[in-house]
Amino acid sequence: MLLHKLALIKLGGSVVTFKDKPLAANAAAIENISRILAQVDVPAIIVHGGGSFGHYRSMKYEMHTKPAAYDVHGVSVVHESMIALNQIIVNSMIRVGLNPYGIPPSLFTTGRKPIAAKLEQVHTMARSKALPVTFGDVVHMGAKKYSILSGDALMTILAKMLRPSRVVFATNVDGIFKDMESKELLTEIRLGDKKSIAFSKPLDADVTGGMQRKVTEAFKIASHGMDVLMVNGLVPERIAEAIGGTLRTGTVVKGGKR
Ligand code: IP8
């Protein structure tokens, strides 16, 4: 049973950056979403992706989601690029009167494992008017190993521990399409439907797997009984609709039992 309201929202890299231009934030999209979030008065936690910041830098240093002894200078550069993007987003939110609080995932995870007490603290902050803003990042996996922890995987970690009442993935498309030829938008899908969705190949500039990764994580979250909403974040009203339970254009991955 969901006892309280909490919205968990992923802002995809394709929304907050221009994926085809290195280190280019989409300032207008970030500002539009910030304004929408300022109007929606509900406790929330934001996760953002890497887009042309983290992915661009990770490619240069050949860093992936597989834990390995990557070039530690690359680790610094990738992490710094994500901090820079987080600052752009946090500052945009401050300008519209929100109370964002940037949090690297390493503050509440060890590798990919959540630290329960720290996550509970993030949750408490969200319930008391702060807006935690975390992000996909490069994280330490022990000894000399590091790994890219995608914001999509973080969504699953956060959803499983905090059981939000709304889980929203905002990307640059309207939702999940049946296939890329017909571009028929699937308004509702169930756990059993996963095999029938045809994905396009992720862009080369995406080290964590593009839309397919999002859908995989959405299904994982749905298998824990939570509905997951996939919306177009470049039409920011849809994020507000998703939070308010009035979404008209998007895909709902229905929560159910595995
Ligand atoms: O865009 C990736 O996060 P994502 C973060 O959510 C890095 O997959 C550092 C590439």
Side-chain angles (χ1 to χ4, degrees):
M1 199 186 12
L2 301 170
L3 296 174
H4 55 266
K5 278 194 173 175
L6 175 73
L8 178 63
I9 305 163
K10 164 89 196 283
L11 304 178
S14 60
V15 176
V16 293
T17 75
F18 295 105
K19 271 198 143 172
D20 49 356
K21 264 195 241 153
L23 307 175
N26 187 340
I30 295 170
E31 190 186 317
N32 290 338
I33 292 172
S34 301
R35 284 189 194 290
I36 285 285
L37 291 174
Q39 286 165 22
V40 182
D41 191 20
V42 68
I45 296 174
I46 307 292
V47 178
H48 66 80
S52 66
F53 285 69
H55 287 279
Y56 173 71
R57 292 293 198 218
S58 308
M59 282 219 328
K60 176 156 185 240
Y61 289 95
E62 295 177 30
M63 230 174 262
H64 302 278
T65 51
K66 187 168 173 261
Y70 297 113
D71 177 351
V72 74
H73 186 72
V75 170
S76 300
V77 171
V78 170
H79 178 62
E80 195 283 328
S81 75
M82 289 308 301
I83 295 279
L85 178 58
N86 184 253
Q87 288 216 322
I88 292 171
I89 294 172
V90 161
N91 278 317
S92 170
M93 290 173 167
I94 288 175
R95 281 196 294 275
V96 300
L98 286 163
N99 313 315
Y101 189 97
I103 309 181
S106 54
L107 282 188
F108 58 84
T109 60
T110 301
R112 294 179 206 285
K113 288 198 204 87
I115 304 167
K118 290 307 274 183
L119 263 186
E120 206 34 66
Q121 193 177 20
V122 173
H123 195 181
T124 305
M125 288 172 68
R127 276 184 292 198
S128 49
K129 298 273 179 200
L131 180 61
V133 185
T134 189
F135 46 88
D137 200 358
V138 53
V139 293
H140 186 228
M141 298 300 287
K144 291 185 177 166
K145 290 189 176 170
Y146 288 86
S147 152
I148 300 289
L149 173 60
S150 84
D152 300 326
L154 263 182
M155 287 290 283
T156 303
I157 293 171
L158 290 162
K160 275 166 71 177
M161 293 284 295
L162 304 180
R163 303 212 48 95
S165 44
R166 293 274 185 254
V167 182
V168 183
F169 281 81
T171 68
N172 65 343
V173 291
D174 286 346
I176 301 174
F177 299 125
K178 190 159 188 281
D179 54 59
M180 289 318 285
E181 284 76 52
S182 69
K183 291 226 163 153
E184 183 192 325
L185 183 66
L186 300 168
T187 53
E188 186 177 302
I189 49 181
R190 293 182 177 271
L191 288 173
D193 298 336
K194 192 173 174 208
K195 286 199 186 77
S196 60
I197 305 165
F199 294 101
S200 57
K201 228 173 116 270
L203 292 176
D204 289 340
D206 195 322
V207 297
T208 55
M211 194 62 172
Q212 190 158 359
R213 150 75 69 172
K214 270 169 238 316
V215 175
T216 299
E217 299 298 338
F219 272 89
K220 273 193 213 163
I221 296 170
S223 76
H224 288 271
M226 290 164 270
D227 286 357
V228 180
L229 306 162
M230 318 282 293
V231 303
N232 192 335
L234 296 173
V235 189
E237 301 73 37
R238 293 188 191 159
I239 297 179
E241 287 177 10
I243 297 171
T246 58
L247 183 64
R248 281 169 297 174
T249 308
T251 303
V252 182
V253 184
K254 288 302 285 178
K257 285 274 159 272
R258 273 180 285 191

